[in-house]
Amino acid sequence: MISAVFIYSQKGEVLISRLYRHDVKRSVADVFRVHVIASPAEIRSPVTTLGSTSFFHIRYDNLWVCAVTKNNSNAALVFEFLYRLLGLGVSYFGRFDEEAVKNNFVLIYELLDEVLDFGYPQNIEVDTLKLYVTTESIRSKSNVVVDLQKPPQSITMQATGATTWRRNDIFYKKNEAFVDVIESVNLILSAKGTVLRADVQGQIVMRSFLSGMPECKFGLNDKLVLDRESSSNKGSAAAAAAARIDADDMAAGSVRRLGARAGGMGGVGDGESVEIADCQFHQCVRLGRFDTDRTISFIPPDGEFELMRYRTTDNVNLPFKVLPVVRELGKTRVEYEVLVKSNFSGKLSASNMAVRIPTPPNATKCRIKVAGTGKAKYIPEENAIVWKISRFQGLQEASLTAVVDLTHMSKPVPWVRPPINLDFQVLMFTASGLLVRFLKVFEKANYQSVKWVRYMTKAGSYEIRI
């Protein structure tokens, strides 16, 4: 597996050098410095192979973090370890740069001894390592309790148990769980109004403040789940009243009404079900159960963590529609007419909205008029008109007209017409239609918990060609 780990400064100075196997020597650090860090050629690949030695490296801030191996190792696993190592350093030191490494090199060596054993990654959970690897700057209450009260056996169980991401002695007076569904909408719209690309990349972030070792069950309006439930309800109704043909219709209709009723909550989940693709889960999720019945079951880590990522491409609800008209009047003037319409519920509003309208590079003067809301300004250094709207209500529209004067160019260059870019945030709206149907918490203490759900849709790459 990993034979050595090196951390270099920006100039190539070796700050940390840790060997785990005997198949490499310490002089291999000089090989990486000469052929990669000091190389005049541009380094495009994160993996550099010199002879039989492979260097997996990451450039982070003013540091080079490198893992060396002689074997045919899993590249994805090595890079995952390196990024986890960077996150570990940020968690301990607040930042991970050359100064932090020099000030805490003793602790870094101690951490490297804990997270790697003979080159194989071990437990890299920050919360677990902080229980028994502490510094003067990290003196939390839980660490003091562990040092005074917990026997060494409990630390061993925490480090080697099945749930390394959570302790079993957590206690809160008020048990709460916060769920944030955050979606980024990506759009490419042609000049004729044809959708060339539309997809949603989402993430579900959870903040857990629950006592003990709770078992959580999470439900979404996933198309496969709702179709299965609909079929089950139809079959149950038919078996109970086989002679009555309309019983099946009633049962099927009740499922559809439930989905529609849940989907009509102020722009969240406008469709009955959503076809979720490309799911990526936190390690606490039981993947076997998800593959069997699409149930998201897990024991959550304490505090904030990313539960899952997903992507959808079907039935994307675009929050904004932009209708641009750009006319080039000879070589001296360009006229703009841009109409922006919001497609979400009138009860909702978008915030921090900015419309970036490109202008030719030889623009000299710009006369702008806004009808509706917001303020627009021509920014010469960006070759763009930036239209900022602090609050855009749903089911409304606003327009902008502008006349841009052009100067003569000694060497005329045709204008490539870059696309219009939108930036925005809409609370309690999901472009994919995703809806959290339920969040159940089971714990042996049988306490009551409060759950909160928030939805937010923001612009990813939202472009309209002109």
Side-chain angles (χ1 to χ4, degrees), residues 339-375:
L339 178 65
V340 179
K341 296 182 179 180
S342 55
N343 297 328
F344 46 88
S345 171
K347 300 178 182 179
L348 307 178
S349 62
S351 60
N352 301 325
M353 184 173 176
V355 184
R356 188 178 183 277
I357 306 169
T359 59
N362 59 332
T364 57
K365 186 178 179 181
C366 186
R367 299 179 293 278
I368 307 171
K369 182 179 180 181
V370 175
T373 181
K375 296 181 180 180

Side-chain angles (χ1 to χ4, degrees), residues 202-385:
Q203 59 176 160
I204 298 179
V205 179
M206 186 173 178
R207 284 179 295 157
S208 167
F209 304 104
L210 302 171
S211 304
M213 295 290 285
E215 176 83 17
C216 295
K217 192 174 181 182
F218 195 77
L220 304 171
N221 58 335
D222 190 355
K223 188 175 187 301
L224 292 179
V225 175
L226 294 185
D227 289 348
R228 185 182 296 115
E229 290 181 358
S230 177
S231 301
S232 176
N233 289 342
K234 287 181 180 180
S236 300
R244 298 175 57 186
I245 301 176
D246 59 339
D248 283 339
D249 298 332
M250 185 181 301
S254 65
V255 174
R256 286 195 293 269
R257 286 196 298 272
L258 176 63
R261 185 166 60 251
M265 296 169 55
V268 178
D270 292 330
E272 292 185 4
S273 60
V274 178
E275 188 171 349
I276 303 175
D278 298 341
C279 297
Q280 299 177 18
F281 294 100
H282 188 272
Q283 62 174 334
C284 65
V285 177
R286 292 182 173 86
L287 297 180
R289 187 171 299 180
F290 179 80
D291 293 337
T292 303
D293 55 8
R294 304 287 287 190
T295 299
I296 303 175
S297 180
F298 58 97
I299 297 177
D302 188 42
E304 183 174 337
F305 67 99
E306 185 182 79
L307 179 63
M308 67 175 289
R309 287 178 178 263
Y310 62 90
R311 186 173 67 92
T312 62
T313 56
D314 296 334
N315 301 321
V316 177
N317 303 318
L318 300 177
F320 288 98
K321 185 177 182 181
V322 181
L323 303 175
V325 177
V326 180
R327 292 185 293 266
E328 296 186 46
L329 305 178
K331 298 181 180 180
T332 60
R333 192 170 64 178
V334 178
E335 292 184 351
Y336 294 84
E337 294 180 8
V338 180
L339 178 65
V340 179
K341 296 182 179 180
S342 55
N343 297 328
F344 46 88
S345 171
K347 300 178 182 179
L348 307 178
S349 62
S351 60
N352 301 325
M353 184 173 176
V355 184
R356 188 178 183 277
I357 306 169
T359 59
N362 59 332
T364 57
K365 186 178 179 181
C366 186
R367 299 179 293 278
I368 307 171
K369 182 179 180 181
V370 175
T373 181
K375 296 181 180 180
K377 182 181 180 181
Y378 171 61
I379 303 179
E381 56 270 20
E382 297 183 9
N383 291 326
I385 299 172

Side-chain angles (χ1 to χ4, degrees), residues 401-415:
T401 57
V403 178
V404 178
D405 296 331
L406 307 179
T407 185
H408 176 71
M409 300 178 66
S410 57
K411 293 183 179 180
V413 178
W415 185 32

Side-chain angles (χ1 to χ4, degrees), residues 35-168:
H35 288 83
V36 177
I37 299 179
S39 174
E42 182 181 1
I43 305 299
R44 295 185 177 182
S45 173
V47 181
T48 302
T49 302
L50 302 173
S52 60
T53 307
S54 297
F55 299 88
F56 300 81
H57 49 86
I58 295 175
R59 183 76 180 273
Y60 182 82
D61 204 329
N62 56 356
L63 296 175
W64 290 82
V65 184
C66 175
V68 184
T69 179
K70 282 276 190 177
N71 303 320
N72 186 16
S73 302
N74 186 338
L77 179 61
V78 175
F79 281 113
E80 177 69 16
F81 167 77
L82 292 179
Y83 280 109
R84 290 285 191 94
L85 184 63
L86 293 176
L88 192 63
V90 172
S91 178
Y92 265 91
F93 316 130
R95 58 179 183 175
F96 199 62
D97 55 9
E98 183 177 351
E99 182 182 359
V101 171
K102 288 182 177 180
N103 293 337
N104 300 277
F105 70 94
V106 174
L107 175 62
I108 293 176
Y109 277 112
E110 187 177 354
L111 289 173
L112 287 175
D113 288 339
E114 295 292 341
V115 299
L116 279 178
D117 185 9
F118 197 60
Y120 290 94
Q122 303 298 310
N123 190 0
I124 320 179
E125 290 297 326
V126 177
D127 293 337
T128 303
L129 289 172
K130 282 185 177 181
L131 293 176
Y132 53 94
V133 180
T134 60
T135 64
E136 293 182 359
S137 60
I138 301 176
R139 294 296 182 188
S140 62
K141 183 177 179 181
S142 60
N143 288 333
V144 175
V145 173
V146 168
D147 293 339
L148 298 178
Q149 298 179 2
K150 274 198 172 184
Q153 293 83 354
S154 61
I155 296 179
T156 305
M157 288 294 294
Q158 177 66 34
T160 60
T163 55
T164 57
W165 55 86
R166 184 181 181 88
R167 307 192 319 271
N168 58 4

Side-chain angles (χ1 to χ4, degrees), residues 409-460:
M409 300 178 66
S410 57
K411 293 183 179 180
V413 178
W415 185 32
V416 296
R417 292 199 174 199
I420 296 175
N421 287 280
L422 261 71
D423 191 16
F424 55 83
Q425 291 182 357
V426 185
L427 287 176
M428 301 311 294
F429 173 83
T430 54
S432 66
L434 190 74
L435 174 69
V436 178
R437 298 172 59 210
F438 61 85
L439 173 59
K440 299 178 181 179
V441 178
F442 305 96
E443 217 276 335
K444 60 182 180 180
N446 199 24
Y447 53 72
Q448 296 293 326
S449 58
V450 182
K451 301 98 172 177
W452 305 87
V453 181
R454 182 179 63 172
Y455 303 89
M456 185 181 73
T457 295
K458 59 182 180 179

